[in-house]
Amino acid sequence: MDDATPVAPTRGGHEAAQRVLDRAVREGGVPGIVAQVRDRGGNWYGTAGVADTRTRRPRGHEDRFRIGSITKTFVATVLLQLVGERRLSLRDTVDQWLPGVLRGNGHDGTTTTVRQLLDHTSGIFSYTHDQAALKTQETYTPAELVGIALSHPADFPAGTGWAYSNTNYIVVGMIIERVTGRTLADEIAHRVVRTLGLTGTSIPPTGDPSLPVPHARHYTKLFSPDPDAPVHDVTELEASPYWAAGGMISTVDDLTRFFSALLGGRLLRPEQQRELLTMVPTNDWLPRTTYGVGISRLLLPSGTAVWGMGGALFGSWSYVYGTRDGTHMLAVNINADWATGHWEDPIGIFNDLLETEFSYGCALGFASTS
């Protein structure tokens, strides 16, 4: 079967997954949700709710959406490919590639390694914690984002702890551009997007706030806990403040295709594949996770382990997780950043969907808990 061939929504026990999608809209109050499962049987797509609350257009599996921190996995893949080509090493320091860029307030590019950037053990302050600084201009350069981070003390000396920091991947993006002499967007397009035929995946150029069509409208309550908080349409969003840390656009089909190839060992050499999946403990992040190189291992409440990444940006929350060998993947997107009723936030919906899908997969021997 062609891996782009959809299968009926009832195939392979996905009825339970569809029920979670329906509940997310009916009980969770989200505008719309779309999911795709890619496994040995082909592809299954499920949707519920709407892509546009004004026109009531339903969500579709071809919808483009902002993927937030799932961007990091694409960036890490490019960096690891360059390591495999011996163009740099994970042991290289930031200063070897970006002299003087990482300096001040306890940050030290002479002791911070590329590997520490990739697995969030660098201690670099995350610039996104300073939202006030991200409201002072319309667009940002990567150097300006790093400058915001350096205006705050480092979280800890490099290599002595773990803290999720978006600044890490801004610096990784800058290193990729220095090593290759090409833009990050060009490297991702050349090495991943065109290689895998990802027709809906891109990094928007600076100054372009639009989403390619078709797309879901993106809705936010600006993270207010008030269930009656006003809803804002943030579909038009200038993404330069997120860039290599979270600025990409994709689809559920492209995400499962990419992660299937990555986890299946088709994008990296064996040594770099081992680095990808060498995990460190996380702290104050997603519960029951460890983190590798732009990818995480999530232990579901049932005890099943899945590998992948999540991403959240204003009005768009996404997950893509699956088996360690990439043969069974699920991608899901909600075009909102809230959930009500049974769930505190979209992550609860995602976890229920993963539990439903991978408990079934585990029973068939597809999933691994090792």
Side-chain angles (χ1 to χ4, degrees):
M1 176 181 293
D2 181 0
D3 69 357
T5 303
V7 294
T10 56
R11 182 185 178 101
H14 300 298
E15 307 97 319
Q18 182 62 53
R19 286 195 292 270
V20 175
L21 303 183
D22 293 337
R23 284 185 61 211
V25 175
R26 184 179 65 249
E27 302 174 22
V30 306
I33 184 169
V34 58
Q36 183 202 6
V37 174
R38 182 184 297 268
D39 61 18
R40 294 186 177 101
N43 289 350
W44 170 83
Y45 300 95
T47 66
V50 298
D52 187 322
T53 58
R54 182 181 60 84
T55 66
R56 310 305 297 175
R57 177 175 65 85
R59 287 224 63 176
H61 67 81
E62 295 181 345
D63 284 348
R64 273 71 166 165
F65 49 85
R66 302 190 189 278
I67 65 173
S69 283
I70 300 172
T71 301
K72 293 180 174 69
T73 317
F74 287 86
V75 173
T77 299
V78 170
L79 191 286
L80 287 174
Q81 288 182 345
L82 293 170
V83 171
E85 294 163 12
R86 301 187 182 280
R87 299 177 70 177
L88 80 164
S89 164
L90 294 181
R91 296 184 297 276
D92 289 351
T93 65
V94 173
D95 243 39
Q96 285 177 248
W97 293 102
L98 304 172
V101 167
L102 194 61
R103 195 73 50 83
N105 262 335
H107 301 90
D108 186 353
T110 67
T111 61
T112 304
T113 68
V114 173
R115 171 78 204 204
Q116 290 165 346
L117 298 173
L118 290 164
D119 66 13
H120 296 294
T121 58
S122 72
I124 302 172
F125 180 87
S126 182
Y127 72 93
T128 51
H129 291 332
D130 190 345
Q131 284 296 307
L134 291 176
K135 297 176 181 177
T136 59
Q137 56 198 65
E138 291 186 3
T139 64
Y140 291 81
T141 66
E144 288 170 335
L145 300 175
V146 174
I148 293 172
L150 298 182
S151 70
H152 298 269
D155 292 330
F156 48 80
T160 65
W162 192 92
Y164 193 87
S165 173
N166 286 308
T167 313
N168 285 324
Y169 275 76
I170 299 298
V171 178
V172 171
M174 294 170 72
I175 290 173
I176 288 171
E177 293 194 335
R178 180 62 59 85
V179 171
T180 64
R182 290 155 51 99
T183 68
L184 176 65
D186 284 344
E187 285 298 312
I188 291 175
H190 170 67
R191 293 172 173 272
V192 180
V193 172
R194 287 196 288 270
T195 297
L196 297 178
L198 307 183
T199 58
T201 299
S202 62
I203 296 182
T206 299
D208 182 359
S210 64
L211 273 172
V213 294
H215 62 253
R217 307 299 299 179
H218 287 22
Y219 301 102
T220 182
K221 293 184 178 181
L222 299 177
F223 305 105
S224 170
D226 181 358
D228 297 320
V231 174
H232 306 274
D233 186 323
V234 289
T235 308
E236 301 289 309
L237 179 72
E238 208 292 310
S240 66
Y242 308 104
W243 192 53
M248 288 182 68
I249 295 164
S250 194
T251 67
V252 288
D253 184 78
D254 279 5
L255 290 178
T256 60
R257 187 185 299 270
F258 166 58
F259 276 84
S260 291
L262 179 62
L263 289 167
R266 298 194 296 277
L267 292 175
L268 300 175
R269 299 178 184 185
E271 183 178 350
Q272 282 69 55
Q273 191 77 5
R274 288 191 293 272
E275 293 284 359
L276 175 80
L277 297 172
T278 299
M279 300 286 170
V280 296
T282 63
N283 183 40
D284 295 326
W285 194 53
L286 297 174
R288 305 182 303 277
T289 55
T290 53
Y291 197 91
V293 173
I295 201 166
S296 62
R297 177 184 184 271
L298 170 64
L299 191 66
L300 297 172
S302 66
T304 298
V306 288
W307 283 259
M309 191 59 186
L313 204 57
F314 297 107
S316 181
W317 282 46
S318 310
Y319 254 27
V320 52
Y321 279 92
T323 55
R324 183 168 178 168
D325 63 1
T327 59
H328 185 185
M329 300 299 305
L330 178 145
V332 55
N333 171 261
I334 291 173
N335 59 330
D337 48 26
W338 72 82
T340 58
H342 175 68
W343 299 285
E344 292 183 0
D345 56 40
I347 291 176
I349 298 172
F350 298 156
N351 283 339
D352 282 359
L353 191 58
L354 287 168
E355 194 75 79
T356 298
E357 181 62 30
F358 288 95
S359 292
Y360 170 80
C362 190
L364 294 182
F366 292 167
S368 169
T369 56
S370 62

